[in-house]
Amino acid sequence: MEEIAGGLLDGVEEAAGRAVGGVVDVRELFALPLPGRVMLELFGIPEEFRGPLREIIDGFFDTAVSSVEAQRNYRALYSTMGELVAFKRRCPGEDLTSALIAAGGAGTAAAGAGAGAGGVGAVEGGGGGGGLSEKELVDNLIMLLSAGCEPTVNLLGNAVALLLGDPGQLELVRSGRVSWGDVVEEAVRVEAPGANAILRYAVEDVRVGETVIERGDALVMSFAAAGRDRGVHGEDADVFDVTRETRREHLSFGHGVHYCLGAPLARLEAEIALRALFGRFPRMRAAFGPGELPRTESFISNGPRVLPVVPGPAAAAAV
């Protein structure tokens, strides 16, 4: 992660040197590619699959697209993942994709033999012996790759915007009074990277205050709302404060059996990335004003669509 971050920051420095006024989009050049590269290496994704997968994953979280576009993206997602699984069966490596294929056992391989590219989504069974079916294998890969990219992009974008918007908060971490881990927790609390969960359905009647959610009702679970609960975080729950005692009391990584499998990875990525970014560019400043950053067009994903900054002179050595 440190190596990837360092290489991307070299690119930010070069771009700033060429840009008018030194303004660059640090989301596009740093926050966006870093989580993607980490996940692609973790899963051993070959270069030829990386571009299509990045485009598909971006579309996965765009809830503003038409139903036709969504279906097209869905088909492309399963087709590409089917091709990837077939490739990794032929050329396994020391990566998570190969490990998941191995966990599927012979049943998955047998199922895959009859599921050419684009046909994986139609394979319903075949796991056998408690292993993963072909569809379970592909669905897990889709879930892990998509959840490991977009939310972390938003986490980084939100954290950078919040710190640049309040230099006093940034000084607290620079002085060592709080840690980068504290910054990450408060950022995901006040700006949940995944604002809302996909639909759930009540399995029984549930009373919330004076409201009864009836069995079978469709629900959208709002992690963003939970992070700003005044009953938990006080009257200033909507304020970014890295010293807040309740900064770790949020649901932005889920809860219970649905707690995010990649939460430790996301936290580590964010800490490394923020430390590297602000260490390389100690005088970085925002090139945007309060409320000026356009947000992602999604009720699931929550983060800035662009993040213009003036990095300023680079430190003699990156942190």
Side-chain angles (χ1 to χ4, degrees):
M1 292 180 199
E2 291 172 345
E3 182 180 348
I4 291 170
L8 292 172
L9 291 176
D10 289 342
V12 171
E13 186 174 348
E14 293 171 5
R18 299 189 303 267
V20 177
V23 178
V24 296
D25 182 356
V26 80
R27 181 189 187 274
E28 180 70 22
L29 297 175
F30 184 68
L32 177 64
L34 190 146
R37 292 193 187 181
V38 170
M39 294 302 290
L40 291 171
E41 292 202 13
L42 180 64
F43 282 85
I45 309 297
E47 193 65 39
E48 59 267 32
F49 288 95
R50 295 189 175 193
L53 276 176
R54 179 70 260 180
E55 184 177 344
I56 292 167
I57 289 171
D58 287 346
F60 184 83
F61 286 91
D62 188 351
T63 57
V65 300
S66 68
S67 60
V68 173
E69 291 174 302
Q71 286 297 319
R72 185 186 303 118
N73 194 65
Y74 176 87
R75 290 191 296 271
L77 183 58
Y78 272 96
S79 175
T80 302
M81 294 306 296
E83 293 172 9
L84 172 64
V85 169
F87 174 85
K88 297 304 288 189
R89 281 205 176 94
R90 297 192 304 270
C91 306
E94 296 292 328
D95 55 68
L96 195 49
T97 304
S98 299
L100 284 170
I101 291 172
T108 305
V120 176
V123 180
E124 297 295 338
L132 296 171
S133 71
E134 187 77 357
K135 189 173 190 304
E136 288 170 337
L137 169 63
V138 172
D139 283 346
N140 271 279
L141 285 170
I142 290 171
M143 178 191 71
L144 292 169
L145 276 169
S146 58
C149 291
E150 181 74 8
T152 309
V153 174
N154 293 333
L155 193 169
L156 291 174
N158 288 332
V160 172
L162 289 164
L163 288 169
L164 292 180
D166 191 338
Q169 296 292 303
L170 180 56
E171 179 55 31
L172 287 172
V173 67
R174 287 195 187 282
S175 66
R177 281 175 281 177
V178 298
S179 69
W180 286 110
D182 294 326
V183 172
V184 171
E185 295 302 327
E186 178 64 356
V188 298
R189 179 200 70 81
V190 75
E191 290 288 358
N196 302 294
I198 55 177
L199 287 179
R200 301 287 189 268
Y201 295 87
V203 296
E204 61 184 29
D205 290 354
V206 180
R207 178 174 291 277
V208 180
E210 298 181 357
T211 301
V212 176
I213 300 170
E214 297 184 355
R215 178 181 177 181
D217 280 354
L219 305 171
V220 172
M221 313 301 291
S222 179
F223 305 121
R228 297 190 177 200
D229 184 351
R230 294 182 179 180
V232 176
H233 303 290
E235 290 302 309
D236 66 343
D238 60 340
V239 175
F240 177 65
D241 180 3
V242 294
T243 67
R244 187 183 301 276
E245 292 185 0
T246 59
R247 59 186 173 272
R248 291 179 174 81
E249 297 178 29
H250 57 76
L251 299 178
S252 297
F253 286 116
H255 178 72
V257 296
H258 292 286
Y259 190 77
C260 177
L261 184 66
L265 177 64
R267 286 183 166 108
L268 182 61
E269 277 184 81
E271 289 183 39
I272 288 174
L274 293 171
R275 184 184 299 111
L277 177 63
F278 286 96
R280 175 74 72 94
F281 304 111
R283 299 162 92 181
M284 183 168 59
R285 58 184 175 84
F288 56 89
E292 289 183 354
L293 287 180
R295 311 297 291 183
T296 52
E297 296 179 338
S298 173
F299 69 83
I300 300 173
S301 190
N302 174 41
R305 202 161 65 237
V306 295
L307 192 51
V309 305
V310 178
V319 174

